């Protein structure tokens, strides 16, 4: 197995098609196809599933990916050292998080990381669906629940406070009642989240007018006067035209966890991003 073949494997895994990978490496598409078939014969496994939408890693390809990335890291380190640029990191990192957390908590950190390490491409995927760290759908993930897979290294990052908000100037509802009060809350699939349950308990006679799994959508509905919404305070406190209301008790806080596959723990670019995230976001009690 040669490094040049692994470069082709990595390019196809990252770009998703032979054409895009060929353009990235400056080779022809037929050459890329021949080299990939030769690599698969060498390792004795099919590394990609060919689909109408592109190339998708098989289980064997996913297992090979982390090893190939570590080899890439070592090769790039040698090249940097020989060229006197041993501090320059290169490569790609795929990060998964919820929509609001990616937009409001991660983007300032990713912007700083881009200035520090301009040769590292960070791909941020925001979705309510969890991307698998084990299958390498993502390299690093942020979640509101602990990771339970033994192959994932994780830590509690920070506790996020929540608040109840209403458009500025509107009458505040009375705790324990809420009759006539419109509510903006989570969609049906997420209706059991603690803040959604809390809102219904505090305002039992209120009526739901809007549901969404997107916190930014909830926030904008609140800005436009559609009703009361429970939002993470880093999001809600930054919105113009809303105010936080007192219902006698605060909504439940939520922990945020960060995790990555144990095979990635020595990847320098991932460690650099994780260190910056911890520096900027971690509660004092979770540092170290």
């Amino acid at each position: 197995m040669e490094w040049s073949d692994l470069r082709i494997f990595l390019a196809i895994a990252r770009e998703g098609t032979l054409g895009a990978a060929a353009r990235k490496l400056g080779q022809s598409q037929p050459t890329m196809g021949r080299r990939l078939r030769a690599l698969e014969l060498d390792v004795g496994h099919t590394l990609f599933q060919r689909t109408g939408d592109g190339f998708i890693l098989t289980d064997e390809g996913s297992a090979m990916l982390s090893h190939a990335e570590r080899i890439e890291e070592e090769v790039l380190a040698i090249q940097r050292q020989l060229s006197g640029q041993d501090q320059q990191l290169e490569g790609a990192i795929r990060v998964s998080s919820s929509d609001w957390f990616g937009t409001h908590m991660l983007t300032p950190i990713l912007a700083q990381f881009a200035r520090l390490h301009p040769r590292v491409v960070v791909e941020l995927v925001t979705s309510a669906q969890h991307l698998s760290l084990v299958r390498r759908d993502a390299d690093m993930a942020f979640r509101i629940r602990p990771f339970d897979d033994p192959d994932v290294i994780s830590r509690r990052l920070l506790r996020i406070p929540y608040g109840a908000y209403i458009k500025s100037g509107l009458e505040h509802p009375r705790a324990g009642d809420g009759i006539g009060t419109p509510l903006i809350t989570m969609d049906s699939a997420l209706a059991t989240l603690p803040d959604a349950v809390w809102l219904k308990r505090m305002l039992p006679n209120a009526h739901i007018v809007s549901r969404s799994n997107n916190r930014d959508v909830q926030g904008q509905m609140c800005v436009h006067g559609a009703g009361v919404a429970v939002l993470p305070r880093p999001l809600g406190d930054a919105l113009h035209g809303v105010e936080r209301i007192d219902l006698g008790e605060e909504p439940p806080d939520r922990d945020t966890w960060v995790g990555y596959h144990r095979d990635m723990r020595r990847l320098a670019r991932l460690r650099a991003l994780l260190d910056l995230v911890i520096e900027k976001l971690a509660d004092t009690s979770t540092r170290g």
Side-chain angles (χ1 to χ4, degrees):
M1 193 182 304
E2 298 181 3
W3 163 237
S4 58
D5 292 330
L6 289 180
R7 286 185 69 224
I8 288 173
F9 167 75
L10 287 171
I12 297 171
R14 290 165 179 166
E15 301 300 320
T17 66
L18 280 180
R23 289 190 294 272
K24 183 174 182 178
L25 297 185
Q27 298 194 27
S28 70
Q29 187 169 330
T31 297
M32 297 284 285
R34 287 195 299 271
R35 296 286 294 276
L36 175 60
R37 287 192 293 273
L39 177 60
E40 290 179 324
L41 287 173
D42 285 344
V43 300
H45 293 284
T46 300
L47 301 176
F48 294 96
Q49 178 183 355
R50 280 73 166 171
T51 73
D53 296 326
F55 281 49
I56 300 174
L57 286 167
T58 62
D59 290 343
E60 293 79 9
S62 295
M64 181 169 163
L65 181 61
S66 60
H67 299 288
E69 289 190 321
R70 288 202 299 274
I71 294 171
E72 176 190 48
E73 189 76 23
E74 291 299 325
V75 170
L76 293 174
I78 293 171
Q79 294 173 346
R80 290 193 298 269
Q81 187 169 5
L82 292 177
S83 64
Q85 297 177 331
D86 56 322
Q87 298 303 311
Q88 287 291 326
L89 300 177
E90 294 185 43
I93 306 173
R94 197 166 199 234
V95 178
S96 169
S97 78
S98 64
D99 46 28
W100 85 267
F101 192 86
T103 300
H104 299 276
M105 304 295 285
L106 290 183
T107 51
I109 297 170
L110 298 184
Q112 181 177 349
F113 186 81
R115 294 191 295 270
L116 294 172
H117 305 287
R119 298 183 183 179
V120 178
V121 178
V122 180
E123 179 182 354
L124 176 61
V125 180
T126 59
S127 170
Q129 301 298 318
H130 287 169
L131 299 186
S132 172
L133 293 173
V134 176
R135 294 196 307 268
R136 293 299 308 279
D137 295 334
D139 301 313
M140 181 186 295
F142 297 85
R143 295 181 185 170
I144 59 175
R145 295 184 179 92
F147 296 81
D148 55 10
D149 193 287
D151 289 327
V152 173
I153 298 173
S154 66
R155 59 174 289 165
R156 188 177 72 82
L157 185 63
L158 77 163
R159 180 175 289 270
I160 296 175
Y162 281 61
Y165 295 85
I166 194 170
K167 180 179 175 63
S168 299
L170 294 183
E171 182 181 355
H172 291 198
R174 186 176 61 191
D177 183 10
I179 189 167
T181 300
L183 301 182
I184 304 160
T185 188
M186 303 302 297
D187 67 350
S188 299
L190 299 174
T192 59
L193 285 182
D195 59 277
V197 174
W198 176 89
L199 183 59
K200 189 62 179 173
R201 176 171 62 84
M202 299 303 294
L203 300 172
N205 297 318
H207 60 283
I208 295 172
V209 296
S210 175
R211 293 184 182 273
S212 175
N213 67 344
N214 186 305
R215 297 288 190 182
D216 279 303
V217 169
Q218 294 177 20
Q220 287 303 309
M221 291 290 289
C222 189
V223 167
H224 288 88
V228 173
V230 175
L231 301 170
R233 288 195 55 183
L235 166 59
D237 289 356
L239 289 174
H240 296 293
V242 303
E243 55 193 31
R244 197 152 54 94
I245 62 178
D246 182 7
L247 294 177
E249 65 178 74
E250 297 296 330
D253 297 343
R254 298 302 303 267
D255 285 332
T256 294
W257 298 72
V258 58
Y260 54 95
H261 197 282
R262 63 174 63 254
D263 286 347
M264 302 288 287
R265 63 188 181 276
R266 294 189 180 90
L267 200 64
R269 59 183 180 271
L270 184 140
R271 292 299 315 179
L273 178 57
L274 181 63
D275 288 345
L276 186 60
V277 166
I278 291 172
E279 175 189 338
K280 298 298 183 181
L281 292 184
D283 293 337
T284 305
S285 60
T286 69
R287 296 176 188 265

